[in-house]
Amino acid sequence: MHRESATTRQLYRDIWILAWPIAAANFLSRGAAIVDTAMVGHLSSVALAGLGIAQIPVFLAMAVQRGLGIGGQVLIAYHTGAEEPERRFKVARAVVALSTLVSLGLSVLLWLIAPTLCRLMGADDAMLAQALRFLGVYYLIQPFSGAFFVFSCIFQGVGDAKTPLYVTLGVNMLHVLTAYATIFGHFGFPRLGVAGSAIGLGFSELTGAVILAVIAQRRRLWAANLKNLSLRAALAVWRLGGPAVGERLLVSGMQGVYYRFLTGFGTAAMAAHRIGIDMEATSFLPAMGFGQAATTLVGQHLGAGDPKTARRAGWMTTQIAMVFMGALALSFYFFADGWMHLFTTDTEVIALGKRFCAVAAAIQLPLAFAIVLAGALRGAGETRWVMMTPFVGGWLVRLPLSYLLGYTWGYGLMGVWWTMMADWMLRCVLITFKFKYLKFRLGDKVTTP
């Protein structure tokens, strides 16, 4: 099937229609986590550091869920563009079933190894106790988080980004209210500290997953029964989603080792890094939204037989994201003190965090370029190439340089932080080269019956 190529104005419109709700939904989701961090930060620096340590095992679980969701989104976008609703329906059922099954197994496995992972990252007894309080609840609710993300990917794949946004808005209001009540012990709830953060996350995302599932079934995008599940559709999801899982695992593993390097500089440095990452989410989460929009648009145009517009969509989406992230980079640099005071009153953490803000400002443009074009490559089915980039940039460049600059050559904490620039610059080069010279072959990788 081949359709007339979209005009520049039409393409900008399509990008905005998809990107701003996805970016807003991502920001809202992370916003709730940022509020959690701020609330936990007012308990103690040890509680905040423990929550930061807990994020690495959490990221491992999210890696698998998000990889499968991306595989499903690419195929759903392709079948939407090709006007094949029955194949799209089979993919949606397969990705939900596969994600649920894998999430249950992951919850058991990761809970068993969580203490070892936290120790490997340098947690002392106090940090470990806080981390395990969070993880003990999180792994009970982790399948709900996976289901919520996968259903959001289904809607985004068909080009409807507003439904997940509206549901996410309600989910995050519920998340913050529940976390506030259970972290501090308000409204008759017990004071649970960091465990309350996990309860707020789980209860709200369970609610969101149920709402999206009901809407998806009413629109015949998905069905709840297990009859006639397609193994071939599940394999098709895994073929594209498997490398995306590998990518996220490589990123999570790299971040775990990187975080281990930071533990050598003390609790305040770890707390400052955690706050800095949450602060930086205001920029890279919109970029991820543009990247997910690029995934959908590239997949849909390839399904419609229009590779020229698919390539244009990737470049145009990247340009828009760079404008947004450039503006936020300026705010990180010039208003660093204000950013840090949003999260903590600890003077040592604030002083270190302001130094992190300078690094965060510098990496925003390469970060935008790499994140959004990577989304375009996923939409073209090139998930293996995207998987390779964090291995080269993170494992082969960032981690060795972190050890050399931070410990061997004596540049300390700032030396470790500045290695992020080398990582993201190299990823930009690799991703740009691939997308510029890519011959689109997504149709050869689609095996949905």
Side-chain angles (χ1 to χ4, degrees), residues 358-403:
V359 181
I363 67 173
Q364 291 308 299
L365 293 184
L367 193 68
F369 211 90
I371 288 175
V372 180
L373 266 192
L377 282 176
R378 293 187 194 101
E382 298 296 328
T383 50
R384 291 186 180 181
W385 184 273
V386 178
M387 178 182 70
M388 179 267 295
T389 59
F391 174 74
V392 176
W395 286 92
L396 298 185
V397 174
R398 185 196 293 201
L399 294 183
L401 274 181
S402 292
Y403 185 79

Side-chain angles (χ1 to χ4, degrees), residues 140-333:
L140 293 175
I141 56 87
Q142 186 252 141
F144 307 139
S145 295
F148 183 61
F149 179 79
V150 166
F151 276 112
S152 296
C153 286
I154 290 172
F155 282 96
Q156 291 161 8
V158 300
D160 176 8
K162 290 185 178 180
T163 296
L165 169 62
Y166 298 146
V167 175
T168 299
L169 178 60
V171 162
N172 280 273
M173 293 172 63
L174 183 61
H175 179 171
V176 171
L177 181 63
T178 306
Y180 175 73
T182 53
I183 288 173
F184 297 115
H186 294 304
F187 311 127
F189 287 90
R191 181 184 174 91
L192 300 176
V194 292
S197 173
I199 291 173
L201 174 67
F203 179 66
S204 61
E205 293 198 338
L206 167 62
T207 304
V210 170
I211 293 171
L212 287 179
V214 170
I215 297 172
Q217 182 151 345
R218 288 179 176 176
R219 296 184 185 177
R220 192 161 168 72
L221 299 176
W222 172 80
N225 66 75
L226 299 177
K227 186 178 179 181
N228 297 324
L229 279 174
S230 172
L231 178 60
R232 287 181 60 194
L235 291 174
V237 170
W238 181 255
R239 185 176 181 182
L240 291 174
V245 171
E247 175 205 347
R248 299 312 307 165
L249 289 175
L250 283 170
V251 169
S252 298
M254 182 272 293
Q255 288 174 338
V257 178
Y258 184 72
Y259 204 86
R260 179 65 182 87
F261 290 151
L262 293 171
T263 60
F265 299 103
T267 299
M270 295 164 63
H273 184 78
R274 169 66 186 177
I275 290 173
I277 293 300
D278 278 340
M279 176 202 75
E280 198 182 22
T282 58
S283 63
F284 73 68
L285 283 174
M288 289 175 63
F290 281 103
Q292 288 172 267
T295 298
T296 295
L297 288 169
V298 170
Q300 288 184 350
H301 285 293
L302 291 179
D306 188 1
K308 180 180 178 181
T309 302
R311 195 183 303 274
R312 288 170 57 214
W315 290 122
M316 290 170 62
T317 309
T318 302
Q319 292 165 4
I320 296 171
M322 290 181 71
V323 172
F324 276 93
M325 292 185 71
L328 284 165
L330 295 176
S331 79
F332 295 157
Y333 187 80

Side-chain angles (χ1 to χ4, degrees), residues 320-374:
I320 296 171
M322 290 181 71
V323 172
F324 276 93
M325 292 185 71
L328 284 165
L330 295 176
S331 79
F332 295 157
Y333 187 80
F334 290 107
F335 303 105
D337 188 71
W339 276 106
M340 295 309 299
H341 274 93
L342 288 175
F343 296 95
T344 184
T345 56
D346 188 305
T347 55
E348 185 180 4
V349 174
I350 290 172
L352 290 173
K354 288 166 66 175
R355 298 170 69 187
F356 180 89
C357 286
V359 181
I363 67 173
Q364 291 308 299
L365 293 184
L367 193 68
F369 211 90
I371 288 175
V372 180
L373 266 192

